[in-house]
Amino acid sequence: MAPSSPRRGLDGDATSGGGSSAAREKDRPRSFDEKTRSACWRKAAVVMGRHPERWRQDAAGNVVCRRFWSCHGCLCYEYDHIVPFSKGGESTVDNCQILQTRVNRSKSNKAWIEQAEMQGFSCDIKFTDKELDVIEMAVYGDVIRPGKQCRCRTIAEMLGKVKSKNHMAACELPYNDAS
């Protein structure tokens, strides 16, 4: 059987018998690659007083933690297609935003949803600075904030068996009420 000859698709590109849709989908990735995700994170709003590589605000104003990608808690987030992939949106930096997971799932395949509506989908829990410090300590092993940097003490340090050579002071968490 002779191979089928190329034919013109609806967009004028030469295609060979019937594979045009699959070829276009292959050239149009659904997920964001690492470079795009990093750029998307960097373009999100910085949380004042927090390390920008660890904490950002999503498009609805929710605080999210970089380590909590693709989970379902209140500090978790996903990378969202602003114009949904199902409606022709591309997986590019310009079409990417971070959204709290709950907000992203509620947004679904809607395009150009208003911030107020996204806020209505947001988790009701808002964390204090002290709570975010404790979470950051648990997740990263240290807290990095302007004017306040500290690290976790090792078990050996806590037992007095070793003195750390790390120049960063050990955190005193949880805070006492005087601080």
Side-chain angles (χ1 to χ4, degrees), residues 82-121:
I82 298 166
V83 175
F85 187 83
S86 64
K87 296 193 177 2
E90 298 294 327
S91 298
T92 62
V93 174
D94 292 336
N95 193 41
C96 181
Q97 64 184 351
I98 59 171
L99 281 181
Q100 186 182 73
T101 302
R102 181 174 166 169
V103 175
N104 190 36
R105 299 299 171 95
S106 297
K107 176 186 176 264
S108 187
N109 70 342
K110 299 177 199 92
W112 309 112
I113 185 170
E114 294 294 325
Q115 185 178 19
E117 188 175 354
M118 284 193 286
Q119 288 170 340
F121 299 143

PDB file of all heavy atoms in Angstrom, residues 82-121:
ATOM      1  N   ILE A  82      -4.451  31.419  32.418  1.00  0.00           N
ATOM      2  CA  ILE A  82      -5.387  32.544  32.523  1.00  0.00           C
ATOM      3  C   ILE A  82      -6.498  32.357  31.497  1.00  0.00           C
ATOM      4  O   ILE A  82      -7.678  32.394  31.830  1.00  0.00           O
ATOM      5  CB  ILE A  82      -4.655  33.887  32.335  1.00  0.00           C
ATOM      6  CG1 ILE A  82      -3.618  34.072  33.443  1.00  0.00           C
ATOM      7  CG2 ILE A  82      -5.652  35.040  32.320  1.00  0.00           C
ATOM      8  CD1 ILE A  82      -2.615  35.185  33.197  1.00  0.00           C
ATOM      9  N   VAL A  83      -6.124  32.175  30.236  1.00  0.00           N
ATOM     10  CA  VAL A  83      -7.073  31.739  29.211  1.00  0.00           C
ATOM     11  C   VAL A  83      -6.958  30.221  29.221  1.00  0.00           C
ATOM     12  O   VAL A  83      -5.887  29.678  28.925  1.00  0.00           O
ATOM     13  CB  VAL A  83      -6.732  32.303  27.818  1.00  0.00           C
ATOM     14  CG1 VAL A  83      -7.665  31.725  26.767  1.00  0.00           C
ATOM     15  CG2 VAL A  83      -6.787  33.824  27.818  1.00  0.00           C
ATOM     16  N   PRO A  84      -8.003  29.510  29.595  1.00  0.00           N
ATOM     17  CA  PRO A  84      -7.914  28.057  29.751  1.00  0.00           C
ATOM     18  C   PRO A  84      -7.369  27.351  28.512  1.00  0.00           C
ATOM     19  O   PRO A  84      -7.637  27.759  27.373  1.00  0.00           O
ATOM     20  CB  PRO A  84      -9.359  27.632  30.026  1.00  0.00           C
ATOM     21  CG  PRO A  84     -10.004  28.854  30.594  1.00  0.00           C
ATOM     22  CD  PRO A  84      -9.358  30.009  29.886  1.00  0.00           C
ATOM     23  N   PHE A  85      -6.610  26.314  28.755  1.00  0.00           N
ATOM     24  CA  PHE A  85      -6.061  25.495  27.681  1.00  0.00           C
ATOM     25  C   PHE A  85      -7.186  24.989  26.779  1.00  0.00           C
ATOM     26  O   PHE A  85      -7.055  24.980  25.556  1.00  0.00           O
ATOM     27  CB  PHE A  85      -5.282  24.316  28.288  1.00  0.00           C
ATOM     28  CG  PHE A  85      -4.547  23.498  27.285  1.00  0.00           C
ATOM     29  CD1 PHE A  85      -3.298  23.892  26.831  1.00  0.00           C
ATOM     30  CD2 PHE A  85      -5.089  22.312  26.794  1.00  0.00           C
ATOM     31  CE1 PHE A  85      -2.609  23.128  25.897  1.00  0.00           C
ATOM     32  CE2 PHE A  85      -4.415  21.551  25.871  1.00  0.00           C
ATOM     33  CZ  PHE A  85      -3.169  21.958  25.417  1.00  0.00           C
ATOM     34  N   SER A  86      -8.307  24.628  27.387  1.00  0.00           N
ATOM     35  CA  SER A  86      -9.447  24.102  26.619  1.00  0.00           C
ATOM     36  C   SER A  86     -10.076  25.146  25.700  1.00  0.00           C
ATOM     37  O   SER A  86     -10.814  24.814  24.788  1.00  0.00           O
ATOM     38  CB  SER A  86     -10.517  23.556  27.563  1.00  0.00           C
ATOM     39  OG  SER A  86     -11.045  24.611  28.360  1.00  0.00           O
ATOM     40  N   LYS A  87      -9.765  26.408  25.952  1.00  0.00           N
ATOM     41  CA  LYS A  87     -10.298  27.489  25.118  1.00  0.00           C
ATOM     42  C   LYS A  87      -9.204  28.106  24.246  1.00  0.00           C
ATOM     43  O   LYS A  87      -9.323  29.238  23.797  1.00  0.00           O
ATOM     44  CB  LYS A  87     -10.951  28.543  25.989  1.00  0.00           C
ATOM     45  CG  LYS A  87     -12.169  28.003  26.734  1.00  0.00           C
ATOM     46  CD  LYS A  87     -12.958  29.123  27.331  1.00  0.00           C
ATOM     47  CE  LYS A  87     -14.187  28.824  28.015  1.00  0.00           C
ATOM     48  NZ  LYS A  87     -14.885  27.781  28.338  1.00  0.00           N
ATOM     49  N   GLY A  88      -8.116  27.361  24.051  1.00  0.00           N
ATOM     50  CA  GLY A  88      -7.040  27.811  23.169  1.00  0.00           C
ATOM     51  C   GLY A  88      -5.882  28.490  23.863  1.00  0.00           C
ATOM     52  O   GLY A  88      -4.928  28.923  23.215  1.00  0.00           O
ATOM     53  N   GLY A  89      -5.917  28.605  25.182  1.00  0.00           N
ATOM     54  CA  GLY A  89      -4.824  29.242  25.915  1.00  0.00           C
ATOM     55  C   GLY A  89      -3.546  28.434  25.829  1.00  0.00           C
ATOM     56  O   GLY A  89      -3.568  27.205  25.908  1.00  0.00           O
ATOM     57  N   GLU A  90      -2.441  29.120  25.667  1.00  0.00           N
ATOM     58  CA  GLU A  90      -1.141  28.469  25.536  1.00  0.00           C
ATOM     59  C   GLU A  90      -0.466  28.335  26.894  1.00  0.00           C
ATOM     60  O   GLU A  90      -0.804  29.048  27.840  1.00  0.00           O
ATOM     61  CB  GLU A  90      -0.247  29.273  24.585  1.00  0.00           C
ATOM     62  CG  GLU A  90      -0.790  29.380  23.170  1.00  0.00           C
ATOM     63  CD  GLU A  90      -0.837  28.048  22.434  1.00  0.00           C
ATOM     64  OE1 GLU A  90       0.043  27.193  22.679  1.00  0.00           O
ATOM     65  OE2 GLU A  90      -1.761  27.845  21.636  1.00  0.00           O
ATOM     66  N   SER A  91       0.508  27.461  26.975  1.00  0.00           N
ATOM     67  CA  SER A  91       1.273  27.252  28.203  1.00  0.00           C
ATOM     68  C   SER A  91       2.511  28.140  28.191  1.00  0.00           C
ATOM     69  O   SER A  91       3.643  27.673  28.150  1.00  0.00           O
ATOM     70  CB  SER A  91       1.648  25.771  28.341  1.00  0.00           C
ATOM     71  OG  SER A  91       0.483  24.993  28.425  1.00  0.00           O
ATOM     72  N   THR A  92       2.268  29.451  28.236  1.00  0.00           N
ATOM     73  CA  THR A  92       3.333  30.454  28.188  1.00  0.00           C
ATOM     74  C   THR A  92       3.318  31.292  29.458  1.00  0.00           C
ATOM     75  O   THR A  92       2.320  31.303  30.191  1.00  0.00           O
ATOM     76  CB  THR A  92       3.144  31.389  26.984  1.00  0.00           C
ATOM     77  OG1 THR A  92       1.898  32.082  27.143  1.00  0.00           O
ATOM     78  CG2 THR A  92       3.136  30.627  25.662  1.00  0.00           C
ATOM     79  N   VAL A  93       4.402  32.019  29.694  1.00  0.00           N
ATOM     80  CA  VAL A  93       4.487  32.888  30.870  1.00  0.00           C
ATOM     81  C   VAL A  93       3.362  33.926  30.869  1.00  0.00           C
ATOM     82  O   VAL A  93       2.753  34.198  31.902  1.00  0.00           O
ATOM     83  CB  VAL A  93       5.863  33.598  30.934  1.00  0.00           C
ATOM     84  CG1 VAL A  93       5.902  34.610  32.065  1.00  0.00           C
ATOM     85  CG2 VAL A  93       6.971  32.584  31.095  1.00  0.00           C
ATOM     86  N   ASP A  94       3.070  34.496  29.697  1.00  0.00           N
ATOM     87  CA  ASP A  94       2.026  35.520  29.613  1.00  0.00           C
ATOM     88  C   ASP A  94       0.642  34.981  29.958  1.00  0.00           C
ATOM     89  O   ASP A  94      -0.235  35.738  30.347  1.00  0.00           O
ATOM     90  CB  ASP A  94       1.987  36.140  28.219  1.00  0.00           C
ATOM     91  CG  ASP A  94       3.229  36.968  27.929  1.00  0.00           C
ATOM     92  OD1 ASP A  94       3.873  37.440  28.896  1.00  0.00           O
ATOM     93  OD2 ASP A  94       3.557  37.149  26.750  1.00  0.00           O
ATOM     94  N   ASN A  95       0.449  33.677  29.823  1.00  0.00           N
ATOM     95  CA  ASN A  95      -0.849  33.067  30.098  1.00  0.00           C
ATOM     96  C   ASN A  95      -0.823  32.253  31.395  1.00  0.00           C
ATOM     97  O   ASN A  95      -1.684  31.417  31.622  1.00  0.00           O
ATOM     98  CB  ASN A  95      -1.290  32.174  28.920  1.00  0.00           C
ATOM     99  CG  ASN A  95      -2.738  31.772  29.026  1.00  0.00           C
ATOM    100  OD1 ASN A  95      -3.595  32.569  29.390  1.00  0.00           O
ATOM    101  ND2 ASN A  95      -3.017  30.514  28.735  1.00  0.00           N
ATOM    102  N   CYS A  96       0.154  32.504  32.230  1.00  0.00           N
ATOM    103  CA  CYS A  96       0.310  31.738  33.466  1.00  0.00           C
ATOM    104  C   CYS A  96       0.134  32.645  34.679  1.00  0.00           C
ATOM    105  O   CYS A  96       0.587  33.790  34.686  1.00  0.00           O
ATOM    106  CB  CYS A  96       1.710  31.112  33.492  1.00  0.00           C
ATOM    107  SG  CYS A  96       2.042  30.104  34.953  1.00  0.00           S
ATOM    108  N   GLN A  97      -0.522  32.122  35.700  1.00  0.00           N
ATOM    109  CA  GLN A  97      -0.611  32.788  36.998  1.00  0.00           C
ATOM    110  C   GLN A  97      -0.636  31.710  38.060  1.00  0.00           C
ATOM    111  O   GLN A  97      -1.026  30.578  37.798  1.00  0.00           O
ATOM    112  CB  GLN A  97      -1.855  33.672  37.099  1.00  0.00           C
ATOM    113  CG  GLN A  97      -3.168  32.926  37.037  1.00  0.00           C
ATOM    114  CD  GLN A  97      -4.369  33.853  37.042  1.00  0.00           C
ATOM    115  OE1 GLN A  97      -4.252  35.047  37.248  1.00  0.00           O
ATOM    116  NE2 GLN A  97      -5.552  33.295  36.818  1.00  0.00           N
ATOM    117  N   ILE A  98      -0.192  32.059  39.266  1.00  0.00           N
ATOM    118  CA  ILE A  98      -0.345  31.116  40.366  1.00  0.00           C
ATOM    119  C   ILE A  98      -1.688  31.397  41.026  1.00  0.00           C
ATOM    120  O   ILE A  98      -2.114  32.549  41.129  1.00  0.00           O
ATOM    121  CB  ILE A  98       0.818  31.183  41.380  1.00  0.00           C
ATOM    122  CG1 ILE A  98       0.969  32.558  41.996  1.00  0.00           C
ATOM    123  CG2 ILE A  98       2.113  30.708  40.763  1.00  0.00           C
ATOM    124  CD1 ILE A  98       1.960  32.605  43.157  1.00  0.00           C
ATOM    125  N   LEU A  99      -2.360  30.332  41.403  1.00  0.00           N
ATOM    126  CA  LEU A  99      -3.639  30.443  42.117  1.00  0.00           C
ATOM    127  C   LEU A  99      -3.666  29.411  43.228  1.00  0.00           C
ATOM    128  O   LEU A  99      -3.231  28.271  43.037  1.00  0.00           O
ATOM    129  CB  LEU A  99      -4.822  30.162  41.184  1.00  0.00           C
ATOM    130  CG  LEU A  99      -5.285  31.261  40.247  1.00  0.00           C
ATOM    131  CD1 LEU A  99      -6.478  30.776  39.431  1.00  0.00           C
ATOM    132  CD2 LEU A  99      -5.637  32.533  40.995  1.00  0.00           C
ATOM    133  N   GLN A 100      -4.172  29.829  44.374  1.00  0.00           N
ATOM    134  CA  GLN A 100      -4.422  28.879  45.449  1.00  0.00           C
ATOM    135  C   GLN A 100      -5.199  27.718  44.825  1.00  0.00           C
ATOM    136  O   GLN A 100      -6.102  27.933  44.008  1.00  0.00           O
ATOM    137  CB  GLN A 100      -5.235  29.581  46.533  1.00  0.00           C
ATOM    138  CG  GLN A 100      -5.451  28.774  47.783  1.00  0.00           C
ATOM    139  CD  GLN A 100      -6.302  29.542  48.774  1.00  0.00           C
ATOM    140  OE1 GLN A 100      -7.504  29.688  48.556  1.00  0.00           O
ATOM    141  NE2 GLN A 100      -5.697  30.038  49.838  1.00  0.00           N
ATOM    142  N   THR A 101      -4.852  26.498  45.179  1.00  0.00           N
ATOM    143  CA  THR A 101      -5.451  25.317  44.549  1.00  0.00           C
ATOM    144  C   THR A 101      -6.974  25.377  44.550  1.00  0.00           C
ATOM    145  O   THR A 101      -7.626  25.132  43.533  1.00  0.00           O
ATOM    146  CB  THR A 101      -4.964  24.034  45.248  1.00  0.00           C
ATOM    147  OG1 THR A 101      -3.539  23.989  45.166  1.00  0.00           O
ATOM    148  CG2 THR A 101      -5.558  22.798  44.600  1.00  0.00           C
ATOM    149  N   ARG A 102      -7.541  25.737  45.676  1.00  0.00           N
ATOM    150  CA  ARG A 102      -9.004  25.807  45.796  1.00  0.00           C
ATOM    151  C   ARG A 102      -9.598  26.802  44.797  1.00  0.00           C
ATOM    152  O   ARG A 102     -10.629  26.554  44.177  1.00  0.00           O
ATOM    153  CB  ARG A 102      -9.345  26.203  47.230  1.00  0.00           C
ATOM    154  CG  ARG A 102     -10.786  26.292  47.537  1.00  0.00           C
ATOM    155  CD  ARG A 102     -10.951  26.541  49.025  1.00  0.00           C
ATOM    156  NE  ARG A 102     -12.313  26.947  49.301  1.00  0.00           N
ATOM    157  CZ  ARG A 102     -12.808  27.026  50.509  1.00  0.00           C
ATOM    158  NH1 ARG A 102     -12.078  26.714  51.555  1.00  0.00           N
ATOM    159  NH2 ARG A 102     -14.048  27.405  50.681  1.00  0.00           N
ATOM    160  N   VAL A 103      -8.926  27.937  44.615  1.00  0.00           N
ATOM    161  CA  VAL A 103      -9.387  28.961  43.678  1.00  0.00           C
ATOM    162  C   VAL A 103      -9.268  28.438  42.249  1.00  0.00           C
ATOM    163  O   VAL A 103     -10.190  28.596  41.438  1.00  0.00           O
ATOM    164  CB  VAL A 103      -8.581  30.275  43.847  1.00  0.00           C
ATOM    165  CG1 VAL A 103      -8.973  31.295  42.800  1.00  0.00           C
ATOM    166  CG2 VAL A 103      -8.778  30.836  45.249  1.00  0.00           C
ATOM    167  N   ASN A 104      -8.135  27.795  41.945  1.00  0.00           N
ATOM    168  CA  ASN A 104      -7.927  27.280  40.592  1.00  0.00           C
ATOM    169  C   ASN A 104      -8.977  26.226  40.233  1.00  0.00           C
ATOM    170  O   ASN A 104      -9.520  26.229  39.127  1.00  0.00           O
ATOM    171  CB  ASN A 104      -6.523  26.695  40.453  1.00  0.00           C
ATOM    172  CG  ASN A 104      -6.170  26.381  39.015  1.00  0.00           C
ATOM    173  OD1 ASN A 104      -6.549  27.095  38.092  1.00  0.00           O
ATOM    174  ND2 ASN A 104      -5.439  25.311  38.827  1.00  0.00           N
ATOM    175  N   ARG A 105      -9.280  25.356  41.170  1.00  0.00           N
ATOM    176  CA  ARG A 105     -10.278  24.309  40.897  1.00  0.00           C
ATOM    177  C   ARG A 105     -11.669  24.919  40.719  1.00  0.00           C
ATOM    178  O   ARG A 105     -12.455  24.447  39.904  1.00  0.00           O
ATOM    179  CB  ARG A 105     -10.288  23.279  42.016  1.00  0.00           C
ATOM    180  CG  ARG A 105      -8.965  22.558  42.202  1.00  0.00           C
ATOM    181  CD  ARG A 105      -8.572  21.778  40.959  1.00  0.00           C
ATOM    182  NE  ARG A 105      -7.234  21.253  41.007  1.00  0.00           N
ATOM    183  CZ  ARG A 105      -6.920  20.037  41.403  1.00  0.00           C
ATOM    184  NH1 ARG A 105      -7.844  19.203  41.809  1.00  0.00           N
ATOM    185  NH2 ARG A 105      -5.659  19.655  41.371  1.00  0.00           N
ATOM    186  N   SER A 106     -11.970  25.971  41.446  1.00  0.00           N
ATOM    187  CA  SER A 106     -13.273  26.632  41.303  1.00  0.00           C
ATOM    188  C   SER A 106     -13.338  27.437  40.006  1.00  0.00           C
ATOM    189  O   SER A 106     -14.382  27.517  39.375  1.00  0.00           O
ATOM    190  CB  SER A 106     -13.538  27.551  42.490  1.00  0.00           C
ATOM    191  OG  SER A 106     -13.601  26.803  43.678  1.00  0.00           O
ATOM    192  N   LYS A 107     -12.225  28.045  39.624  1.00  0.00           N
ATOM    193  CA  LYS A 107     -12.156  28.811  38.372  1.00  0.00           C
ATOM    194  C   LYS A 107     -12.394  27.878  37.187  1.00  0.00           C
ATOM    195  O   LYS A 107     -13.059  28.243  36.217  1.00  0.00           O
ATOM    196  CB  LYS A 107     -10.798  29.497  38.241  1.00  0.00           C
ATOM    197  CG  LYS A 107     -10.612  30.237  36.929  1.00  0.00           C
ATOM    198  CD  LYS A 107      -9.184  30.779  36.813  1.00  0.00           C
ATOM    199  CE  LYS A 107      -8.951  31.432  35.483  1.00  0.00           C
ATOM    200  NZ  LYS A 107      -8.347  30.582  34.494  1.00  0.00           N
ATOM    201  N   SER A 108     -11.841  26.679  37.272  1.00  0.00           N
ATOM    202  CA  SER A 108     -12.005  25.650  36.243  1.00  0.00           C
ATOM    203  C   SER A 108     -11.591  26.182  34.883  1.00  0.00           C
ATOM    204  O   SER A 108     -10.488  26.684  34.728  1.00  0.00           O
ATOM    205  CB  SER A 108     -13.444  25.135  36.258  1.00  0.00           C
ATOM    206  OG  SER A 108     -13.587  24.037  35.396  1.00  0.00           O
ATOM    207  N   ASN A 109     -12.460  26.115  33.882  1.00  0.00           N
ATOM    208  CA  ASN A 109     -12.082  26.552  32.535  1.00  0.00           C
ATOM    209  C   ASN A 109     -12.673  27.919  32.169  1.00  0.00           C
ATOM    210  O   ASN A 109     -12.893  28.222  31.020  1.00  0.00           O
ATOM    211  CB  ASN A 109     -12.461  25.496  31.488  1.00  0.00           C
ATOM    212  CG  ASN A 109     -13.953  25.385  31.299  1.00  0.00           C
ATOM    213  OD1 ASN A 109     -14.732  25.833  32.143  1.00  0.00           O
ATOM    214  ND2 ASN A 109     -14.363  24.781  30.207  1.00  0.00           N
ATOM    215  N   LYS A 110     -12.913  28.741  33.195  1.00  0.00           N
ATOM    216  CA  LYS A 110     -13.410  30.091  32.929  1.00  0.00           C
ATOM    217  C   LYS A 110     -12.238  31.023  32.637  1.00  0.00           C
ATOM    218  O   LYS A 110     -11.201  30.939  33.268  1.00  0.00           O
ATOM    219  CB  LYS A 110     -14.184  30.630  34.136  1.00  0.00           C
ATOM    220  CG  LYS A 110     -15.395  29.820  34.523  1.00  0.00           C
ATOM    221  CD  LYS A 110     -16.029  30.427  35.775  1.00  0.00           C
ATOM    222  CE  LYS A 110     -16.922  29.450  36.466  1.00  0.00           C
ATOM    223  NZ  LYS A 110     -16.246  28.665  37.502  1.00  0.00           N
ATOM    224  N   ALA A 111     -12.421  31.923  31.709  1.00  0.00           N
ATOM    225  CA  ALA A 111     -11.379  32.901  31.378  1.00  0.00           C
ATOM    226  C   ALA A 111     -11.751  34.250  31.973  1.00  0.00           C
ATOM    227  O   ALA A 111     -12.923  34.587  32.113  1.00  0.00           O
ATOM    228  CB  ALA A 111     -11.226  33.010  29.871  1.00  0.00           C
ATOM    229  N   TRP A 112     -10.749  35.011  32.330  1.00  0.00           N
ATOM    230  CA  TRP A 112     -10.909  36.401  32.782  1.00  0.00           C
ATOM    231  C   TRP A 112     -11.936  36.549  33.897  1.00  0.00           C
ATOM    232  O   TRP A 112     -12.823  37.374  33.842  1.00  0.00           O
ATOM    233  CB  TRP A 112     -11.244  37.320  31.604  1.00  0.00           C
ATOM    234  CG  TRP A 112     -10.291  37.125  30.488  1.00  0.00           C
ATOM    235  CD1 TRP A 112     -10.567  36.578  29.269  1.00  0.00           C
ATOM    236  CD2 TRP A 112      -8.902  37.419  30.464  1.00  0.00           C
ATOM    237  NE1 TRP A 112      -9.434  36.523  28.502  1.00  0.00           N
ATOM    238  CE2 TRP A 112      -8.388  37.046  29.217  1.00  0.00           C
ATOM    239  CE3 TRP A 112      -8.023  37.970  31.393  1.00  0.00           C
ATOM    240  CZ2 TRP A 112      -7.051  37.189  28.868  1.00  0.00           C
ATOM    241  CZ3 TRP A 112      -6.692  38.114  31.042  1.00  0.00           C
ATOM    242  CH2 TRP A 112      -6.233  37.737  29.799  1.00  0.00           C
ATOM    243  N   ILE A 113     -11.788  35.771  34.922  1.00  0.00           N
ATOM    244  CA  ILE A 113     -12.658  35.846  36.086  1.00  0.00           C
ATOM    245  C   ILE A 113     -12.201  37.028  36.959  1.00  0.00           C
ATOM    246  O   ILE A 113     -11.015  37.291  37.085  1.00  0.00           O
ATOM    247  CB  ILE A 113     -12.626  34.504  36.853  1.00  0.00           C
ATOM    248  CG1 ILE A 113     -13.604  34.483  38.006  1.00  0.00           C
ATOM    249  CG2 ILE A 113     -11.256  34.139  37.280  1.00  0.00           C
ATOM    250  CD1 ILE A 113     -13.760  33.104  38.626  1.00  0.00           C
ATOM    251  N   GLU A 114     -13.129  37.761  37.529  1.00  0.00           N
ATOM    252  CA  GLU A 114     -12.812  38.932  38.340  1.00  0.00           C
ATOM    253  C   GLU A 114     -12.137  38.524  39.655  1.00  0.00           C
ATOM    254  O   GLU A 114     -12.438  37.472  40.217  1.00  0.00           O
ATOM    255  CB  GLU A 114     -14.095  39.713  38.662  1.00  0.00           C
ATOM    256  CG  GLU A 114     -14.754  40.342  37.450  1.00  0.00           C
ATOM    257  CD  GLU A 114     -13.913  41.449  36.825  1.00  0.00           C
ATOM    258  OE1 GLU A 114     -13.231  42.178  37.570  1.00  0.00           O
ATOM    259  OE2 GLU A 114     -13.953  41.564  35.592  1.00  0.00           O
ATOM    260  N   GLN A 115     -11.263  39.391  40.170  1.00  0.00           N
ATOM    261  CA  GLN A 115     -10.547  39.109  41.405  1.00  0.00           C
ATOM    262  C   GLN A 115     -11.513  38.889  42.562  1.00  0.00           C
ATOM    263  O   GLN A 115     -11.314  37.996  43.379  1.00  0.00           O
ATOM    264  CB  GLN A 115      -9.558  40.224  41.738  1.00  0.00           C
ATOM    265  CG  GLN A 115      -8.720  39.894  42.957  1.00  0.00           C
ATOM    266  CD  GLN A 115      -7.696  40.948  43.309  1.00  0.00           C
ATOM    267  OE1 GLN A 115      -7.800  42.090  42.880  1.00  0.00           O
ATOM    268  NE2 GLN A 115      -6.723  40.572  44.104  1.00  0.00           N
ATOM    269  N   ALA A 116     -12.570  39.668  42.643  1.00  0.00           N
ATOM    270  CA  ALA A 116     -13.538  39.519  43.737  1.00  0.00           C
ATOM    271  C   ALA A 116     -14.172  38.131  43.729  1.00  0.00           C
ATOM    272  O   ALA A 116     -14.382  37.531  44.788  1.00  0.00           O
ATOM    273  CB  ALA A 116     -14.620  40.594  43.631  1.00  0.00           C
ATOM    274  N   GLU A 117     -14.464  37.614  42.551  1.00  0.00           N
ATOM    275  CA  GLU A 117     -15.043  36.271  42.465  1.00  0.00           C
ATOM    276  C   GLU A 117     -14.016  35.224  42.898  1.00  0.00           C
ATOM    277  O   GLU A 117     -14.347  34.277  43.604  1.00  0.00           O
ATOM    278  CB  GLU A 117     -15.529  35.982  41.040  1.00  0.00           C
ATOM    279  CG  GLU A 117     -16.296  34.687  40.933  1.00  0.00           C
ATOM    280  CD  GLU A 117     -16.885  34.448  39.540  1.00  0.00           C
ATOM    281  OE1 GLU A 117     -16.803  35.337  38.678  1.00  0.00           O
ATOM    282  OE2 GLU A 117     -17.415  33.338  39.338  1.00  0.00           O
ATOM    283  N   MET A 118     -12.756  35.416  42.491  1.00  0.00           N
ATOM    284  CA  MET A 118     -11.701  34.487  42.909  1.00  0.00           C
ATOM    285  C   MET A 118     -11.543  34.515  44.427  1.00  0.00           C
ATOM    286  O   MET A 118     -11.352  33.471  45.052  1.00  0.00           O
ATOM    287  CB  MET A 118     -10.364  34.829  42.238  1.00  0.00           C
ATOM    288  CG  MET A 118     -10.314  34.406  40.786  1.00  0.00           C
ATOM    289  SD  MET A 118      -8.650  34.446  40.101  1.00  0.00           S
ATOM    290  CE  MET A 118      -8.372  36.187  39.921  1.00  0.00           C
ATOM    291  N   GLN A 119     -11.626  35.698  45.025  1.00  0.00           N
ATOM    292  CA  GLN A 119     -11.504  35.810  46.473  1.00  0.00           C
ATOM    293  C   GLN A 119     -12.620  35.041  47.173  1.00  0.00           C
ATOM    294  O   GLN A 119     -12.421  34.481  48.244  1.00  0.00           O
ATOM    295  CB  GLN A 119     -11.499  37.274  46.903  1.00  0.00           C
ATOM    296  CG  GLN A 119     -10.210  37.977  46.528  1.00  0.00           C
ATOM    297  CD  GLN A 119     -10.265  39.481  46.719  1.00  0.00           C
ATOM    298  OE1 GLN A 119     -11.337  40.082  46.788  1.00  0.00           O
ATOM    299  NE2 GLN A 119      -9.105  40.100  46.784  1.00  0.00           N
ATOM    300  N   GLY A 120     -13.789  34.982  46.552  1.00  0.00           N
ATOM    301  CA  GLY A 120     -14.894  34.213  47.113  1.00  0.00           C
ATOM    302  C   GLY A 120     -14.626  32.726  47.147  1.00  0.00           C
ATOM    303  O   GLY A 120     -15.193  32.007  47.970  1.00  0.00           O
ATOM    304  N   PHE A 121     -13.759  32.236  46.267  1.00  0.00           N
ATOM    305  CA  PHE A 121     -13.392  30.816  46.244  1.00  0.00           C
ATOM    306  C   PHE A 121     -12.258  30.509  47.210  1.00  0.00           C
ATOM    307  O   PHE A 121     -11.944  29.354  47.457  1.00  0.00           O
ATOM    308  CB  PHE A 121     -12.930  30.400  44.842  1.00  0.00           C
ATOM    309  CG  PHE A 121     -13.958  30.554  43.757  1.00  0.00           C
ATOM    310  CD1 PHE A 121     -13.562  30.975  42.493  1.00  0.00           C
ATOM    311  CD2 PHE A 121     -15.298  30.280  43.964  1.00  0.00           C
ATOM    312  CE1 PHE A 121     -14.487  31.112  41.464  1.00  0.00           C
ATOM    313  CE2 PHE A 121     -16.227  30.416  42.949  1.00  0.00           C
ATOM    314  CZ  PHE A 121     -15.816  30.831  41.691  1.00  0.00           C
TER     315      PHE A 121
END
